[in-house]
Amino acid sequence: MKQFVQDHLDEDPAQLLLRHKGIPGLDIKAAARQIAMRQKARQKLPSWSANPSLIFPPALSMEQCSSEATARYKSSLFQGNTFIDLTGGFGVDTVYLGENFTQVTYIEQQDELVELARHNLPQLLNNRQLRIIHQDGIAFLHQTREQFDLLFLDPARRGKGNQKLYRLQDLEPDVVENWDLLQKKAVNILIKGSPMLDISMAGRELPGLSEIHVLSVKNEVRELLLLYNGSHQPLKIRAVEINGQDQSVFSFSPEEELNAAPVFSFPQKYLVIPYAGILKAGAFKSFAVRQGLAKLHHHTHVYTTDQFPKAVPGRVFEVLEEIKADKKLLKKLYPEGLAHVISRNHPLKADAFKKKFRLREGGDEFLLAVTVMNGKTGVWRCRMV
């Protein structure tokens, strides 16, 4: 089957099912699934997709596993002797985190994923002492006397009706209920959370958290990482933007954000929208103060300056003019109906704005619809720089 998969990697799996269902000795359904998953993995896991020896999991596990970019970031945070992945899944985080440890323990409940791990992980962690255990992770911790340098969990975020979950107490395993147990069994704990997780609530539910990392890839928040290292130091929050080989980090503390006192201004020559991870992290005021920018409005997380903001962790727009939100004017400015619309703290969301003024996403210019410091709304015509 391996050769068939490699020979048809660029073809439509559905068409392959129809054309090749009569080949003796070939499980065409399994082959088509492998092709489909490898195609999905090209962007998410490029080096794994290029490895012909690996076997890929069902679609849900592919959807829930970490990307290569975020797994590599996690790998940069830790090293030591003993590492345990309590919710192994497809094993992406097991491999990248495990590269920095001598002894690696993978635990998983699902039969199919355990079998895949037994095939894949020895190839990917061939210089490590590797244990693959078919068991519930929390049950294993209750039974073992071992303590680990790093314990990792990626709790399942799907409910019985396949609905997406994000509150820590609703996930499996429940890390809030088992927080004391986890602290007893590991020097360091790393929990992968949903991008929808409430950061302030996570800090309250898991007392003693050391750091929270908000990971965004190409300006889209992908993961929240909750770190515990027993330091008992004040919580630090890091918003990390990953774009290819480039990486930017904005770090702050909840106390800094609470005490920050930004200045406010109407739009000046440049407007700045922070990367998505910074906004998710809640660095609304400290971002302005640290970057030397003015804020448009308390609830409008768009910032402004008259000087070009070099190396700012966000998107920068040059203001061309303020315009009236008028159908005739917008038709004159954009005869093809193409413009990028960004709405921040404005009565019309971007899609509603485009629908009302018959605009489509495209072109070289941006319309920023915002509320400014006097409470009034406005639209600014801009270009990205």
Side-chain angles (χ1 to χ4, degrees):
M1 182 171 72
K2 183 195 296 186
Q3 190 58 52
F4 181 89
V5 169
Q6 292 302 308
D7 290 343
H8 297 85
L9 277 177
D10 295 322
E11 298 183 41
D12 182 351
Q15 293 298 318
L16 288 172
L17 280 172
L18 296 174
R19 293 204 315 267
H20 297 279
K21 56 185 176 182
I23 299 178
L26 175 67
D27 184 342
I28 186 60
K29 288 185 178 179
R33 188 180 82 176
Q34 287 300 305
I35 291 167
M37 293 305 100
R38 283 182 175 275
Q39 290 173 354
K40 286 180 177 291
R42 282 174 176 166
Q43 295 297 319
K44 191 173 189 178
L45 297 165
S47 66
W48 289 41
S49 177
N51 186 335
S53 298
L54 301 182
I55 300 175
F56 283 76
L60 181 58
S61 294
M62 270 297 297
E63 176 189 328
Q64 294 179 339
C65 75
S66 293
S67 70
E68 201 165 315
T70 58
R72 287 187 187 279
Y73 176 80
K74 289 192 279 286
S75 176
S76 72
L77 302 176
F78 299 99
Q79 60 181 3
N81 183 37
T82 55
F83 162 58
I84 183 169
D85 186 340
L86 220 59
T87 52
F90 185 31
V92 175
D93 287 312
T94 312
V95 169
Y96 284 97
L97 283 164
E99 288 176 344
N100 296 330
F101 290 83
T102 306
Q103 302 173 32
V104 178
T105 301
Y106 164 103
I107 298 186
E108 174 57 51
Q109 296 184 79
Q110 295 185 45
D111 298 359
E112 183 175 7
L113 293 176
V114 171
E115 289 306 307
L116 289 181
R118 287 176 176 153
H119 174 84
N120 291 334
L121 296 194
Q123 303 177 58
L124 297 163
L125 288 168
N126 55 8
N127 293 322
R128 305 295 183 277
Q129 298 177 35
L130 174 64
R131 286 189 299 178
I132 296 175
I133 299 175
H134 186 187
Q135 189 179 3
D136 172 76
I138 296 298
F140 174 85
L141 286 187
H142 279 295
Q143 295 167 8
T144 187
R145 294 183 177 181
E146 297 176 78
Q147 188 182 54
F148 299 89
D149 293 331
L150 174 63
L151 186 155
F152 174 72
L153 299 96
D154 180 7
R157 296 190 291 275
R158 292 280 185 171
K160 293 180 179 179
N162 204 36
Q163 76 273 29
K164 291 184 178 181
L165 305 173
Y166 55 90
R167 290 185 349 129
L168 292 175
Q169 305 100 315
D170 297 334
L171 310 184
E172 178 62 38
D174 182 342
V175 295
V176 177
E177 180 183 359
N178 292 287
W179 188 231
D180 289 342
L181 172 66
L182 299 177
Q183 292 176 82
K184 290 176 184 176
K185 295 298 183 178
V187 178
N188 298 284
I189 301 168
L190 178 62
I191 300 169
K192 175 181 167 183
S194 163
M196 299 296 293
L197 179 64
D198 184 312
I199 289 178
S200 58
M201 183 177 291
R204 292 192 298 270
E205 292 175 336
L206 302 178
L209 274 184
S210 308
E211 299 178 9
I212 296 177
H213 295 211
V214 183
L215 297 191
S216 60
V217 179
K218 296 182 179 179
N219 207 29
E220 180 183 347
V221 177
R222 297 291 181 83
E223 298 180 9
L224 265 61
L225 303 178
L226 313 178
L227 281 69
Y228 170 86
N229 59 21
S231 65
H232 305 295
Q233 296 296 313
L235 177 66
K236 288 289 185 182
I237 302 176
R238 293 164 59 89
V240 182
E241 165 66 14
I242 302 170
N243 194 332
Q245 298 301 313
D246 297 328
Q247 186 180 112
S248 72
V249 180
F250 185 88
S251 300
F252 69 103
S253 69
E255 184 180 13
E256 179 186 359
E257 175 64 20
L258 180 65
N259 295 326
V263 298
F264 293 85
S265 170
F266 291 103
Q268 300 175 38
K269 185 175 182 180
Y270 297 99
L271 294 175
V272 178
I273 299 179
Y275 288 135
I278 294 173
L279 297 176
K280 172 62 184 179
F284 306 131
K285 297 186 295 181
S286 51
F287 177 84
V289 173
R290 194 91 64 79
Q291 298 296 320
L293 304 172
K295 213 168 184 293
L296 296 188
H297 181 274
H298 182 71
H299 298 298
T300 302
H301 307 313
V302 179
Y303 305 80
T304 192
T305 177
D306 259 338
Q307 304 297 319
F308 180 74
K310 295 180 180 178
V312 67
R315 293 182 290 168
V316 179
F317 303 86
E318 182 181 7
V319 174
L320 302 176
E321 62 176 336
E322 182 182 5
I323 65 171
K324 186 178 179 181
D326 176 82
K327 288 182 179 179
K328 289 184 178 179
L329 175 60
L330 288 168
K331 180 64 176 177
K332 181 180 178 181
L333 288 171
Y334 307 106
E336 302 297 322
L338 296 176
H340 302 280
V341 177
I342 298 174
S343 173
R344 294 289 188 270
N345 190 29
H346 189 276
L348 284 177
K349 301 299 183 186
D351 286 343
F353 189 100
K354 285 184 285 188
K355 183 177 181 180
K356 179 176 180 178
F357 296 105
R358 298 178 182 175
L359 295 171
R360 292 176 292 120
E361 199 69 15
D364 298 324
E365 293 188 356
F366 289 75
L367 296 175
L368 268 64
V370 297
T371 297
V372 292
M373 57 185 292
N374 63 359
K376 295 183 178 180
T377 60
V379 179
W380 277 262
R381 181 172 154 244
C382 309
R383 66 179 181 89
M384 187 182 287
V385 292

